[in-house]
């Protein structure tokens, strides 16, 4: 049930929301808050009210709003040149791809813009590798994917989604994908045949509710893909780049995929930057003219991305996420049995299942918003918490206290 305390909005907030609703396509259902500025882990709305950002733009703002180091890199590049296209070389792309490849322990980088573009690019690369290297018959390649996946919303990607909101009414769908239960290595093994070119997996499923697979799942996939000569593609677009207390979620179980898919935090919350990162034997299958992007690898994006890579190379963001994440998970786990059914996560990334008899995830997020905490619901009764890594421990404690108070109010009003 909802708290009988509607959010207070003034004409300024209402007018801003109305203007957006009138002229922007309704492909999102945002909370009724209008953000105007941000600094670190906090944002301020058009009324001057401050909120702790516990979503960080789905991990795109891992390093905080207005991070001075990243803003300076962008500002300096803005004064030089921002876009050349890939028809010419630019002096920022080389350093960026070199240091990103080194961070990943790989040879080559295919720079793109959005996470969905990275996934689409990886699908093309895997198919080309299958035909040109593995020897799969023309147009016969298949890729094994996971139930409950979220890799984007392009027509190809939603073709292997089982989320009706993403998929329904957008067919006909692209063939060539086989879905199996997430976390079930035996099911993956059974789905692989002589025409399988890749297994595509989120090391931790984000949109599904921060679902962490069994500890042996990714290692089993790595061994299976090596044995069956299949590419292991890890979608680390949300889980990677410090979020889970390691550079990649794959690092938590000692797995190195054939291809990393990166995005979101790679752009520092400033510009869209994504990448497919792999060894020459895989990414080297691409030939000039077969794939590209006008904006992919642009000097502005490369400058910001390079600064992100250098921050991560220090190891400090990963260490901070690991330490603060352990504290957050401990505080949230104490709420189980008090309006919370289950808590999952790694590092500063948590999925909190609210007792559905108490409230929906949306209702809890609305109540948290009224208390100055911004979070996002998914799949009915789950809320996701992913604050910027720069968040202070005291602010995390305050946010969990707000959640505890919301749950207590809901319990009282339900009696």
């Amino acid at each position: 049930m909802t708290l009988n305390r509607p959010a207070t909005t003034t004409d300024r907030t209402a007018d801003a929301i109305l203007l957006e609703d009138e002229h922007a396509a309704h492909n999102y259902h945002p909370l009724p808050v209008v953000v105007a500025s941000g600094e670190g882990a906090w944002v301020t709305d058009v009324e001057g009210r401050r909120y702790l950002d516990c979503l960080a733009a789905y991990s795109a703002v891992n390093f905080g709003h207005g991070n001075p180091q990243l803003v300076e890199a962008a500002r300096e590049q803005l004064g030089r040149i921002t876009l050349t296209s890939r028809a010419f070389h630019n002096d920022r792309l080389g350093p960026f791809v070199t240091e990103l490849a080194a961070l990943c322990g790989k040879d080559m980088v295919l720079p793109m813009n959005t996470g969905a573009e990275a996934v689409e690019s990886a699908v093309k690369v895997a198919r080309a590798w299958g035909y040109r290297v593995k020897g799969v018959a023309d147009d016969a390649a298949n890729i094994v994917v996971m139930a409950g996946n979220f890799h984007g919303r392009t027509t190809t990607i939603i073709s292997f989604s089982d989320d009706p909101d993403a998929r329904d009414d957008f067919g006909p769908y692209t063939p060539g994908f086989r879905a199996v239960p997430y976390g079930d290595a035996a099911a993956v093994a059974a789905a692989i045949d002589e025409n399988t070119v890749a297994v595509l997996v989120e090391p931790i499923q984000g949109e599904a509710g921060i679902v962490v697979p069994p500890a042996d799942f990714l290692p089993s996939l790595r061994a299976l893909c090596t044995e069956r000569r299949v590419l292991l593609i890890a979608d680390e677009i949300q889980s990677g780049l410090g979020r889970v207390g390691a550079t990649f979620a794959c690092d938590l179980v000692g797995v190195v995929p054939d291809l990393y898919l990166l995005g979101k935090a790679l752009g520092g919350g400033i510009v869209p930057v994504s990448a497919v990162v792999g060894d020459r034997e895989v990414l080297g299958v691409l030939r000039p003219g077969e794939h590209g992007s006008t904006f992919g690898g642009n000097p502005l994006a490369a400058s910001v991305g390079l600064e992100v890579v250098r921050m991560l190379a220090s190891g400090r963001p990963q260490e901070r996420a690991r330490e603060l994440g352990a504290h957050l998970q401990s505080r949230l786990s104490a709420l189980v049995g008090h309006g919370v059914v289950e808590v999952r996560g790694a590092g500063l990334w948590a999925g909190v299942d609210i007792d559905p008899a108490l409230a929906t995830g949306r209702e809890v997020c609305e109540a948290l918003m009224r208390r100055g905490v911004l979070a996002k619901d998914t799949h009915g009764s789950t809320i996701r918490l992913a604050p910027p890594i720069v968040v202070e421990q005291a602010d995390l404690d305050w946010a969990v206290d707000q959640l505890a108070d919301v749950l207590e109010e809901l319990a009282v009003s339900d009696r």
Side-chain angles (χ1 to χ4, degrees), residues 121-173:
S121 299
V123 168
K124 289 179 67 176
V125 167
R127 288 174 173 173
W129 175 87
Y131 299 134
R132 295 170 183 175
V133 178
K134 187 175 180 179
V136 173
D138 289 350
D139 296 331
N142 68 73
I143 295 174
V144 178
V145 299
M146 307 297 139
N149 72 76
F150 182 82
H151 299 285
R153 292 189 178 89
T154 64
T155 50
T156 290
I157 292 171
I158 60 101
S159 295
F160 55 86
S161 169
D162 55 13
D163 180 354
D165 289 339
R167 179 181 170 93
D168 288 358
D169 297 328
F170 298 118
Y173 303 108

Side-chain angles (χ1 to χ4, degrees), residues 338-342 352-361 364 381 407 410:
H338 302 279
V340 171
V341 176
E342 183 181 1
V352 182
D353 289 346
I354 305 300
D355 182 349
L358 202 61
T360 66
V364 171
S381 61
L407 296 173
L410 287 165

Side-chain angles (χ1 to χ4, degrees), residues 237-388:
I237 291 165
Q238 283 197 60
S239 61
L241 307 180
R243 170 55 54 188
V244 300
T247 305
F248 306 113
C250 284
D251 294 343
L252 299 176
V253 289
V255 165
V256 178
D258 297 292
L259 294 175
Y260 289 103
L261 308 186
L262 307 177
K264 296 195 184 296
L266 193 57
I270 296 175
V271 287
V273 186
S274 67
V276 181
V277 188
D279 283 331
R280 199 173 310 277
E281 290 78 9
V282 181
L283 277 179
V285 300
L286 287 179
R287 302 162 183 162
E290 291 184 336
H291 192 62
S293 164
T294 299
F295 283 86
N298 70 76
L300 178 60
S303 293
V304 174
L306 177 60
E307 206 62 37
V308 166
V309 170
R310 289 176 174 172
M311 292 169 67
L312 289 164
S314 75
R316 288 189 291 272
Q318 298 93 315
E319 180 182 7
R320 184 176 180 83
R322 185 164 57 250
E323 293 175 352
L324 288 177
H327 181 75
L328 175 63
Q329 299 291 336
S330 175
R331 287 293 317 274
L332 290 173
S333 294
L335 299 180
V336 174
H338 302 279
V340 171
V341 176
E342 183 181 1
V343 175
R344 298 171 302 279
L348 276 175
W349 205 20
V352 182
D353 289 346
I354 305 300
D355 182 349
L358 202 61
T360 66
R362 172 77 183 198
E363 289 166 342
V364 171
C365 287
E366 289 174 344
L368 285 171
M369 180 198 71
R370 292 191 286 270
R371 289 173 167 269
V373 179
L374 298 182
K376 184 69 174 70
D377 60 292
T378 185
H379 294 284
S381 61
T382 300
I383 64 172
R384 292 169 287 180
L385 300 177

